[in-house]
Amino acid sequence: MAFLNSLGTVSRGGQWRFRRVFRSAYADGRLDLSDNGLIDFRRVSLVVLTVTPRPPFDRGGCWDGAVDRCDGPAPVLTASSADRSLVIVSRGLVEALFPASAMSRVRPGLYDVRLVLTIGPETAEIMAEPVEIR
């Protein structure tokens, strides 16, 4: 399933440093690769990164075949700017460090990594990509 795995493979045997540069796009969808294209996170009040298991859906669209669990599984790893486990290193660069002790508790498998930003009353998911943890 490597073709689905845009963030690569992460080992459970050590720490995982998640680093990602975020850039804005032009109207035609191309990324602005100039320094002006880096997303400025100064107005962001909260940034949250979650890593959740990627189980299959049943026919009803809910997880594990249970209709009352449509909200999906709980995150196995979380980093937030509120507790400083996730930091804005510089303009456009987000970084989170998951220590080896946290990684060793995660089961091997395919996970969804999501980054959610809050600016004022608005909250938006700006990244949702798979990662394989071995």
Side-chain angles (χ1 to χ4, degrees), residues 16-114:
W16 176 27
R17 181 179 304 276
F18 173 88
R19 284 180 70 115
R20 189 74 181 241
V21 175
F22 290 93
R23 296 183 174 279
S24 58
Y26 296 115
D28 63 3
R30 294 178 302 125
L31 290 179
D32 180 353
L33 298 178
S34 71
D35 286 345
N36 292 333
L38 293 171
I39 294 175
D40 190 355
F41 291 109
R42 286 182 293 190
R43 295 186 354 206
V44 173
S45 57
L46 181 64
V47 183
V48 178
L49 178 87
T50 58
V51 179
T52 55
R54 179 179 255 212
F57 285 95
D58 72 353
R59 289 185 193 151
C62 297
W63 303 94
D64 300 328
V67 175
D68 61 341
R69 292 191 54 205
C70 291
D71 57 344
V76 295
L77 297 170
T78 304
S80 170
S81 60
D83 65 5
R84 296 183 186 243
S85 57
L86 181 142
V87 294
I88 307 302
V89 178
S90 64
R91 190 172 159 195
L93 180 61
V94 174
E95 183 174 278
L97 179 66
F98 298 104
S101 58
M103 294 304 297
S104 66
R105 292 189 299 264
V106 177
R107 297 181 70 177
L110 199 59
Y111 292 82
D112 286 320
V113 179
R114 290 187 171 85

